[in-house]
């Protein structure tokens, strides 16, 4: 793992611990999942693919066409098989940190958001994202999805159905909270 | 049906005929599907819902929360039951004209695009959309989806999985044409 990726992992770990404190999640699990979330990101793509196919997982069409989605899957398999981490919540937090999914646990949401708000991040909107992350994980995720959908569609890249399912779940939960059936 | 909706339907019908001529689809079916695509759009929502539930169709979560998606479904059921139109391609073109879906037929794509490019449309980008529609239906649809995803996510409204499946199919077909595995 290169220096940038290592610094990023440390920062996500710290940020995840902070968020765990705010939202009442397990701080140790958050630190560990944050530290490990990108563990296979710098492995060559073919090695990542081998980890995935060796495990019996069959990639769907979108995943096949988007190697950037492989490191969440290969990372969760790697820490299970090589670091003997069996906690399903930590494994899922690593697996789904890029796309999100419907029905995410608190820990999964924390890792997803911490990856957007870690200290070294400098994209336009990061300060809004950080502010939102302190008020509501769902609102921060929604803000992230707006950015992702606009960016990916502008670049004509595939969007994984798990990302949409996660976005729709938050949107519809907000609608039902507002009692607003648009 | 009010005057605006009637004019829109006539215009979509004309536009669909033009596109059918360009792309070698059945011009009569295109005219008819264009004319009928919004046939139930101005029915009260509860009447649309009754048509749908009476047919045995169960709305998914996104459809339940987005009554704007109901008129495609209720419209296709209405023309089948009341106008005795049994041509599956026409019925599907009406049903999926708002969301699109994976595996659309030529006629379905024509009605989807004609709805964006009909003569009375004035949104920003309509002239680009019209130009694209003359070169490639898929490229025009992709342009439409970029607009839709950006707009719906900005307004925090749900996006139907069929829209994403349609978008992803075009994106991935373009990637494989380019031999470009990003």
């Amino acid at each position: 793992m290169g220096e940038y990726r290592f610094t990023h992992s440390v920062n996500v770990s710290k940020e995840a611990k902070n968020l765990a404190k705010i939202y009442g999640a397990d701080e140790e699990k958050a630190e560990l999942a944050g530290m490990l979330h990108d563990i296979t990101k710098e492995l060559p793509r073919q090695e990542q693919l081998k980890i995935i196919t060796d495990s019996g997982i069959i990639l769907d069409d979108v995943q096949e066409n988007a190697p950037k989605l492989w490191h969440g899957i290969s990372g969760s398999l790697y820490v299970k098989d090589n670091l003997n981490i069996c906690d399903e919540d930590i494994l899922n937090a690593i697996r789904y940190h890029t796309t999100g999914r419907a029905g995410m646990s608190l820990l999964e949401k924390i890792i997803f958001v911490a990856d957007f708000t870690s200290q070294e991040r400098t994209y336009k909107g990061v300060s809004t994202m950080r502010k939102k992350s302190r008020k509501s994980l769902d609102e921060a995720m929604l803000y992230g999805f707006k950015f992702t959908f606009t960016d990916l569609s502008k670049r004509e890249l595939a969007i994984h159905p798990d990302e949409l399912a996660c976005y729709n779940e938050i949107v519809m939960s907000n609608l039902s909270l507002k009692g607003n059936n648009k």
Side-chain angles (χ1 to χ4, degrees), chain A:
Chain A
M1 192 183 278
E3 198 177 321
Y4 169 76
R5 185 68 42 203
F6 181 74
T7 305
H8 169 66
S9 301
V10 171
N11 288 343
V12 170
S13 178
K14 285 183 189 166
E15 177 73 356
K17 189 180 179 182
N18 291 337
L19 293 172
K21 204 172 290 182
I22 295 171
Y23 293 104
D26 186 310
E27 293 176 37
E28 279 185 25
K29 284 190 190 183
E31 260 188 306
L32 185 58
M35 194 62 220
L36 297 174
H37 78 289
D38 272 350
I39 192 161
T40 55
K41 190 156 182 174
E42 295 187 354
L43 282 185
R45 285 177 176 178
Q46 287 313 312
E47 278 184 49
Q48 289 188 49
L49 194 57
K50 188 171 180 333
I51 293 172
I52 294 168
T53 49
D54 282 356
S55 81
I57 288 176
I58 295 168
L59 296 177
D60 61 37
D61 280 2
V62 173
Q63 288 164 338
E64 267 191 13
N65 281 283
K68 282 187 180 165
L69 299 180
W70 297 354
H71 73 285
I73 307 170
S74 60
S76 70
L77 293 165
Y78 182 91
V79 304
K80 186 177 186 181
D81 294 339
N82 297 81
L83 308 182
N84 292 319
I85 293 175
C86 300
D87 185 286
E88 284 295 328
D89 206 12
I90 293 176
L91 297 176
N92 286 331
I94 297 170
R95 172 152 185 175
Y96 296 103
H97 80 267
T98 313
T99 56
R101 62 164 173 166
M104 289 173 94
S105 72
L106 180 57
L107 184 67
E108 287 173 58
K109 289 182 178 184
I110 284 172
I111 301 304
F112 182 95
V113 170
D115 194 23
F116 272 93
T117 55
S118 63
Q119 202 189 343
E120 85 292 349
R121 294 286 198 200
T122 55
Y123 59 88
K124 197 183 158 194
V126 69
S127 69
T128 305
M129 186 72 177
R130 288 195 178 110
K131 270 181 216 151
K132 285 183 184 280
S133 75
R134 265 52 192 172
K135 291 187 184 164
S136 156
L137 291 172
D138 281 358
E139 289 309 309
M141 290 174 74
L142 212 49
Y143 188 75
F145 283 124
K146 282 181 208 185
F147 173 80
T148 305
F149 293 166
T150 303
D151 179 59
L152 289 177
S153 65
K154 199 181 285 176
R155 293 159 63 206
E156 300 188 0
L157 294 174
I159 298 170
H160 195 274
D162 280 343
E163 301 183 72
L164 188 74
C166 188
Y167 164 83
N168 279 338
E169 189 179 69
I170 297 170
V171 161
M172 289 188 287
S173 135
N174 284 351
L175 276 183
S176 79
L177 286 175
K178 287 179 198 160
N180 182 358
N181 202 4
K182 284 182 201 176

